[in-house]
Structures are given as structure tokens and as C-alpha cells.
């Protein structure tokens, strides 16, 4: 049987959807139309069927787990599954935790753990480079440093950074984000990178942005402008650079009419729990808010109140998020 999608986002989405169907089958009386919808979902691709089958196999193995009172079992298994007479929603979500955790281990690139600079979820750090350029790191961030007599290059693997570039006319300063190259023609800019998109906020002076494989035409980003790049598509808009700088300094996330799934992607970089949700469904909700990045539980509570979300934490490593009108 073929493997699940290798793209981390696609794989995560399939597991979310399969788990959602599984929970509904375990606890709801689905009518004929809903059962037909499930069958259609499984028939969309071999990967859909495989995701569902793997989830089902885990649940079928619960009876064995209940009888295996071994000390080596994970504490979440002992707490939520062993000695339970029936599968509760908490147990089902605990099972998903192990599946997602396994997926995360598979997805995380070795290069991240070998990065020259690695920042944890709840950390804000400052690094002063050998040329006196400064980089501020926030949340889960990782990058490599490649300095020589001819160049200054930062390879951003993931996360959020504020760059303050020291002048050096002999050596250009470049931040490489996959295929996208950001060459500093000035001093200060903020970069956010996640699985969805790349965002560059110009705080002072200008940068030149281009694609190494020429997916898009090179362009110049000036003070007070923001560029968002996704799948080779570029959009540029004006911003209040002072507001962006202030939000960073105050550890806030300021969003205006942003899809909820993108907001959750940003918040997830600042806490240790894995968010599980249907990206397509939650993208239909728009968020305008100021959210505290150093208090992600509070941020999630604000979103829950504003959008009437259902939130189910499982231990400290998993948070299930749904819209209340989801079936």
C-alpha cells in the first residue's frame, strides 16, 4: 500500500480528517447520507483510505492495550485507555496524539536539529553576528549562518526573525528561505516563515526579493510594505511599520481579516501543543484581533469566544479545534 502524502501539510490534513470521521463513527449515529459522505471521502484517493484504515487499526487494538498493564506504556495510554470499558472521545484523541506524534517525527527535517541557531516555542532571543548585524528570534525558529569574505547569508529553515543589518558594501547580506532570496539593500525587516507562506515586512529602507529558480519576477520591497509569497505567487500591500515593530516588541500578533487556519499556524509556532483542525473548514472564518504570543492559551480562548470554537486539549501535546457548526 502506498504511503501517505509526503507533503507534511497534506499528511497532517488527511490524519485530521480521518480522525474526525472516526470520532463521529464512535460517538454519533450517522444517517445514510453521512455514511455515503464518509464512503466518498475514503474513495477520493488511496491515501484517504489508508489514513482511515490506520486509525481504525489503532482503535481495534485498544482491547489488547487494556489487558497489557505494562510499565513501559506511555502515560497517556495508561491514563486514557488502559482499564477503560469503552472508547471515549478523550481516548480517541489520545490515540490521534500518537499518530500525529509519529508523523511529526517523520516530518521534522534533520537539518532543523542541526541548525546553527535553534529557538524554542516560548523563547525570544537576540543574536549578534560577527559583523555586528543583529537577529531577533521569536517562537520556533531555526536558521544556519554562512559567512565568508565574499558573502553574508542566513538560511531560514522556519520561524520568525527580525533582522537589523550592519552595513558592508563588500559583502551583500542575504536571507535564503528555500527558493526565495531576500537581499538587504537597507537595514531592518521582519520575516515570518511557516508551512503556508513566507511574509516579509519592511521596517526601514528596502530589500530586493527574487526567486532562485525564477518562479516570479524579482522586485523591490520598500519601507512600509509587506510581501506575501506562496507557491510562486506574490502579493504586496502597505503596512504600518511602526505597528509591526511595536507588536513584535510587545509579543503580540496583529491580524486583520486573516483566515483562521493561517492564524492558528502562526500561534502554533509559539507553544508546544500540536493543533489539529480541518484547514479547509476553518479557512472560511476571518479573524481581526490582537493576540498575545507569550500567552497562547489566552489567545486561543479569545478566538474561541470570538468564533464560537470547540477546543479539546489532550494533555499538553495536543489541542483539537473545531467550529461548532461542523458536522
Amino acid at each position: 500500500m502506498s504511503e501517505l502524502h509526503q507533503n507534511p501539510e497534506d499528511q497532517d490534513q488527511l490524519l485530521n480528517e480521518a480522525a474526525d470521521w472516526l470520532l463521529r463513527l464512535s460517538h454519533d449515529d450517522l444517517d445514510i447520507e453521512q455514511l455515503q459522505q464518509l464512503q466518498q471521502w475514503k474513495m477520493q484517493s488511496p491515501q484517504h483510505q489508508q489514513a482511515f484504515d490506520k486509525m481504525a487499526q489503532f482503535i481495534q487494538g485498544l482491547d489488547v492495550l487494556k489487558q497489557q498493564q505494562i510499565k513501559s506504556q506511555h502515560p497517556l495510554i495508561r491514563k486514557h485507555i488502559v482499564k477503560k470499558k469503552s472508547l471515549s472521545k478523550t481516548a480517541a484523541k489520545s490515540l490521534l496524539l500518537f499518530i500525529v506524534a509519529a508523523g511529526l517525527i517523520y516530518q521534522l527535517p534533520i537539518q532543523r536539529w542541526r541548525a546553527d541557531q535553534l529557538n524554542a516555542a516560548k523563547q525570544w532571543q537576540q543574536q549578534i553576528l560577527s559583523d555586528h548585524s543583529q537577529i531577533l528570534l521569536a517562537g520556533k525558529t531555526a536558521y544556519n549562518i554562512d559567512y565568508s569574505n565574499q558573502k553574508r547569508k542566513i538560511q531560514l529553515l522556519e520561524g520568525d526573525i527580525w533582522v537589523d543589518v550592519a552595513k558592508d558594501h563588500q559583502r551583500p547580506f542575504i536571507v535564503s528561505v528555500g527558493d526565495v532570496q531576500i537581499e538587504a539593500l537597507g537595514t531592518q525587516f521582519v520575516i515570518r516563515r511557516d508551512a503556508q507562506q513566507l511574509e516579509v515586512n519592511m521596517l526601514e529602507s528596502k530589500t530586493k526579493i527574487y526567486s532562485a529558480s525564477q518562479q516570479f519576477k524579482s522586485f523591490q520591497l520598500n519601507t512600509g510594505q509587506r510581501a506575501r509569497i506562496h507557491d510562486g505567487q506574490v502579493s504586496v500591500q502597505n503596512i504600518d511599520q511602526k505597528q509591526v515593530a511595536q507588536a513584535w516588541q510587545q509579543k503580540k500578533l496583529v491580524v486583520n481579516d486573516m483566515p483562521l487556519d493561517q492564524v492558528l499556524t502562526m500561534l502554533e509556532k509559539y507553544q508546544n501543543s500540536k493543533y489539529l483542525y480541518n484547514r479547509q473548514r476553518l479557512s472560511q472564518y476571518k479573524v481581526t484581533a490582537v493576540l498575545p504570543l507569550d500567552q497562547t492559551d489566552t489567545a486561543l480562548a479569545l478566538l474561541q469566544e470570538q468564533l464560537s470554537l470547540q477546543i479539546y486539549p489532550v494533555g499538553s501535546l495536543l489541542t483539537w479545534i473545531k467550529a461548532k457548526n461542523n458536522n
Side-chain angles (χ1 to χ4, degrees):
M1 185 176 291
S2 62
E3 293 296 325
L4 290 174
H5 292 301
Q6 299 303 304
N7 184 301
E9 180 184 340
D10 292 342
Q11 186 181 42
D12 191 45
Q13 181 69 12
L14 281 181
L15 291 174
N16 280 331
E17 293 177 8
D20 189 36
W21 278 113
L22 190 61
L23 286 175
R24 292 168 63 187
L25 281 173
S26 300
H27 300 279
D28 302 330
D29 293 324
L30 300 186
D31 57 29
I32 294 178
E33 182 179 355
Q34 291 171 321
L35 290 173
Q36 289 175 342
Q37 291 174 357
L38 169 58
Q39 189 63 23
Q40 291 172 357
W41 180 88
K42 291 193 293 184
M43 292 176 64
Q44 287 184 36
S45 73
Q47 290 77 20
H48 282 72
Q49 182 68 57
Q50 183 185 1
F52 187 87
D53 289 345
K54 283 192 172 184
M55 289 294 295
Q57 290 171 9
F58 263 73
I59 285 186
Q60 291 170 2
L62 282 179
D63 289 337
V64 176
L65 288 175
K66 292 173 187 176
Q67 299 178 17
Q68 292 181 344
Q69 306 287 339
I70 56 176
K71 295 181 179 181
S72 62
Q73 285 174 339
H74 193 286
L76 280 178
I77 293 181
R78 296 199 301 268
K79 179 179 179 181
H80 297 300
I81 299 175
V82 174
K83 299 182 180 178
K84 300 283 185 180
K85 294 183 179 180
S86 62
L87 178 64
S88 67
K89 284 191 176 183
T90 300
K93 291 167 196 166
S94 297
L95 285 178
L96 183 59
L97 169 63
F98 295 105
I99 295 175
V100 172
L104 287 175
I105 291 172
Y106 175 77
Q107 293 167 20
L108 284 175
I110 298 298
Q111 61 178 351
R112 182 188 187 279
W113 302 110
R114 294 179 178 174
D116 295 332
Q117 191 69 25
L118 190 63
N119 199 55
K122 298 181 182 296
Q123 284 187 330
W124 277 259
Q125 293 190 63
Q126 177 186 38
Q127 182 180 26
I128 300 177
L129 303 177
S130 59
D131 65 336
H132 303 295
S133 294
Q134 297 182 48
I135 298 182
L136 307 180
L137 304 82
K140 297 175 184 175
T141 298
Y143 60 79
N144 290 320
I145 304 170
D146 184 9
Y147 268 37
S148 69
N149 293 330
Q150 291 77 37
K151 64 179 179 180
R152 298 177 293 169
K153 192 169 188 177
I154 301 296
Q155 180 190 16
L156 180 62
L157 303 174
E158 67 170 328
D160 301 346
I161 60 173
W162 173 321
V163 184
D164 192 343
V165 182
K167 293 182 179 180
D168 186 336
H169 298 295
Q170 303 302 317
R171 296 184 299 168
F173 188 102
I174 297 175
V175 179
S176 174
V177 190
D179 177 70
V180 180
Q181 309 297 302
I182 305 163
E183 182 176 347
L185 304 176
T187 51
Q188 295 185 20
F189 51 96
V190 171
I191 302 176
R192 299 182 184 276
R193 181 189 186 178
D194 55 50
Q196 297 300 299
Q197 65 182 358
L198 168 65
E199 179 182 287
V200 184
N201 296 273
M202 204 64 222
L203 304 182
E204 184 178 307
S205 196
K206 55 191 175 182
T207 57
K208 176 184 176 182
I209 301 178
Y210 59 95
S211 165
S213 62
Q214 300 183 340
Q215 291 188 28
F216 56 85
K217 292 183 178 179
S218 65
F219 63 97
Q220 182 173 291
L221 196 68
N222 299 313
T223 301
Q225 289 187 319
R226 167 185 293 152
R228 288 196 172 112
I229 304 171
H230 177 63
D231 286 341
Q233 301 297 313
V234 179
S235 64
V236 178
Q237 64 183 112
N238 294 327
I239 60 170
D240 183 340
Q241 69 268 28
K242 292 183 179 179
Q243 184 185 63
V244 172
Q246 186 178 44
W248 180 288
Q249 293 162 357
Q250 296 178 354
K251 302 177 182 178
K252 306 289 187 184
L253 175 63
V254 180
V255 294
N256 183 24
D257 201 34
M258 178 176 286
L260 176 56
D261 65 310
Q262 294 182 23
V263 176
L264 293 175
T265 297
M266 291 183 175
L267 285 179
E268 195 173 25
K269 292 185 289 185
Y270 290 84
Q271 48 82 57
N272 294 315
S273 180
K274 171 68 178 173
Y275 289 165
L276 299 175
Y277 53 91
N278 186 306
R279 188 173 297 279
Q280 183 177 3
R281 287 178 180 172
L282 295 194
S283 67
Q284 301 172 17
Y285 295 83
K286 305 299 181 181
V287 180
T288 297
V290 178
L291 304 172
L293 292 175
D294 56 346
Q295 300 177 45
T296 48
D297 289 344
T298 300
L300 207 55
L302 291 171
L303 292 175
Q304 181 179 24
E305 180 179 358
Q306 182 182 129
L307 301 173
S308 299
L309 301 175
Q310 293 179 321
I311 298 178
Y312 307 100
V314 180
S316 61
L317 297 179
L318 176 66
T319 301
W320 187 291
I321 303 171
K322 295 181 67 177
K324 283 190 175 180
N325 62 352
N326 282 358
N327 291 325

